Amino acid sequence: MVDFQHQSVMPKQVVDLLVTKPEGLYVDATLGGGGDAEHLLSAYPALRLVGIDQDPYALSYASRRLQPYAARFTPLRGNFRNLEDLLLTIGVRAVDGVVFDLGVSSPQLDQRDRGFSYQHPDAPLDMRMDPDNPVTAFRLVNQKSEEEIRDAIQRWGEERWAARIASFIVRARTEEPIRTTGQLVEIIRAAIPAAKRRSGGHPARRTFQALRIWVNDELTALSEGLLAAWHVLNPGGRLVVISFHSLEDRIVKHQFREWSNQGMARVVTKHPLTPDDREQEENPRARSAKLRVVEKRLT
Ligand SMILES: C[S@@+](CC[C@H](N)C(=O)[O-])C[C@H]1O[C@@H](n2cnc3c(N)ncnc32)[C@H](O)[C@@H]1O
């Protein structure tokens, strides 16, 4: 069993802003280590919760952690883009709130063989949150065209050296397949001119973000997940979303604004909430977090 050390981001705000009905039924669409789930279940003794994750390791860890609440907690494995169908498998058609805490968990980043991190040099190029996903980073890096790789790194990594990185990848793979995170980091390093490498954090950060988004189809899943959550949300219920980069936050902001413009919702957070200085210091992963909340109108 993998040890799952994940520190939830803005946990108090999630509980305070999500729950409008203490005895209601809620969904944690990104169960992860079960931190937010535990806060919710312990804060409200009559609240019931469904926890979804596409990662079976997270699901089994969280289920064990939430054993004391087993009578009020149901774990479901799957992608939150299929939230409506997943809930139907347990006979649920409507809920009082859904929380999304996006991205990967700290244990996913730390498990060397998952290949999410440029910090582990000899990990396989994998990056799948769902181990049954047929698409791996290895497959994309070694099989996609130079144009597709360039576009992905540009769009999802917002990397200005995307064209050079794509061309270096394609050249390197003609010699031998690119198998490890370390090989890819070296190719990226070589592609970015030395003088520019010193600014903007680790040179591989943006390319790794792009590949992770691509492998897991994260942005489409987010758009679909928000719509699915909206469909099952009871009037007066809320969606709480924590995002970690601007591409995610833009999708959330636009969707909330659209519902609000159509008169179907009230945006509770006019500006996104961010973690205070202490939380940012204690939990580096929290630094880029933005929390937004929307409430479905009663009529
Ligand atoms: C940041 S962690 C959540 C941490 C959790 N809130 C906690 O307090 O422990 C995000 C989790 O969401 C899962 N996840 C991300 N995208 C998903 C998707 N589209 N469908 C299902 N699970 C997803 C990941 O596998 C990961 O376990």
Side-chain angles (χ1 to χ4, degrees):
M1 171 69 61
V2 177
D3 190 20
F4 238 88
Q5 291 301 325
H6 178 90
Q7 216 175 330
S8 307
V9 174
M10 292 184 270
K12 184 172 171 354
Q13 291 90 328
V14 168
V15 173
D16 291 349
L17 289 161
L18 179 69
V19 179
T20 50
K21 215 170 125 187
E23 72 292 357
L25 173 60
Y26 293 84
V27 177
D28 183 342
T30 50
L31 184 64
D36 284 319
E38 185 167 25
H39 290 122
L40 286 161
L41 289 160
S42 62
Y44 291 98
L47 176 146
R48 287 163 303 131
L49 186 73
V50 177
I52 295 174
D53 208 296
Q54 59 182 333
D55 181 342
Y57 308 108
L59 207 66
S60 76
Y61 175 84
S63 300
R64 253 196 343 171
R65 174 178 182 172
L66 299 170
Q67 196 58 39
Y69 307 96
R72 296 188 282 127
F73 171 68
T74 311
L76 283 179
R77 181 176 171 199
N79 194 304
F80 60 55
R81 71 199 309 168
N82 305 317
L83 186 133
E84 270 186 287
D85 289 340
L86 285 169
L87 291 179
L88 273 183
T89 64
I90 53 165
V92 169
R93 289 172 188 281
V95 301
D96 297 300
V98 183
V99 55
F100 294 84
D101 174 16
L102 299 170
V104 280
S105 63
S106 307
Q108 285 169 331
L109 279 175
D110 294 343
Q111 281 164 41
R112 200 195 63 84
D113 57 342
R114 306 287 299 259
F116 282 112
S117 172
Y118 44 76
Q119 315 280 10
H120 300 302
D122 57 354
L125 275 177
D126 190 319
M127 300 198 193
R128 290 172 299 172
M129 291 189 211
D130 175 355
D132 292 338
N133 177 358
V135 181
T136 61
F138 174 84
R139 207 167 122 175
L140 296 175
V141 162
N142 288 290
Q143 293 180 2
K144 291 292 178 181
S145 69
E146 183 173 335
E147 291 68 36
E148 284 171 301
I149 294 173
R150 181 198 63 208
D151 290 352
I153 299 175
Q154 216 155 42
R155 180 142 37 112
W156 297 319
E158 301 183 293
E159 167 65 69
R160 62 183 286 220
W161 301 105
R164 266 176 73 86
I165 294 170
S167 129
F168 274 55
I169 286 175
V170 169
R171 193 181 331 147
R173 75 188 191 191
T174 57
E175 315 237 317
E176 57 166 343
I178 305 164
R179 294 191 187 281
T180 68
T181 47
Q183 281 173 287
L184 183 59
V185 168
E186 284 317 308
I187 293 165
I188 297 166
R189 218 187 275 282
I192 301 180
K196 309 288 175 184
R197 241 181 272 150
R198 281 184 278 277
S199 59
H202 193 288
R205 186 176 60 84
R206 287 174 292 276
T207 301
F208 270 60
Q209 171 177 303
L211 283 173
R212 200 198 85 195
I213 290 174
W214 198 5
V215 167
N216 297 287
D217 196 17
E218 289 180 36
L219 300 181
T220 314
L222 173 58
S223 301
E224 293 177 8
L226 291 175
L227 289 177
W230 181 259
H231 284 149
V232 295
L233 191 64
N234 278 327
R238 290 178 169 184
L239 304 185
V240 173
V241 187
I242 305 178
S243 64
F244 292 89
H245 54 76
S246 56
L247 299 167
E248 286 172 344
D249 186 53
R250 211 172 297 153
I251 291 173
V252 179
K253 183 169 80 178
H254 287 162
Q255 183 58 76
F256 284 12
R257 193 183 292 157
E258 195 179 316
W259 288 326
S260 163
N261 288 343
Q262 291 169 0
M264 303 193 294
R266 174 175 79 88
V267 178
V268 178
T269 45
K270 292 286 168 272
H271 300 287
L273 305 186
T274 51
D276 62 23
D277 293 347
R278 216 185 77 189
E279 186 176 357
Q280 293 196 34
E281 224 166 85
E282 284 172 5
N283 184 4
R285 201 183 80 86
R287 284 182 197 145
S288 58
K290 288 197 167 126
L291 183 154
R292 294 184 186 270
V293 184
V294 73
E295 183 176 292
K296 200 177 219 180
R297 287 207 185 276
L298 286 169
T299 49

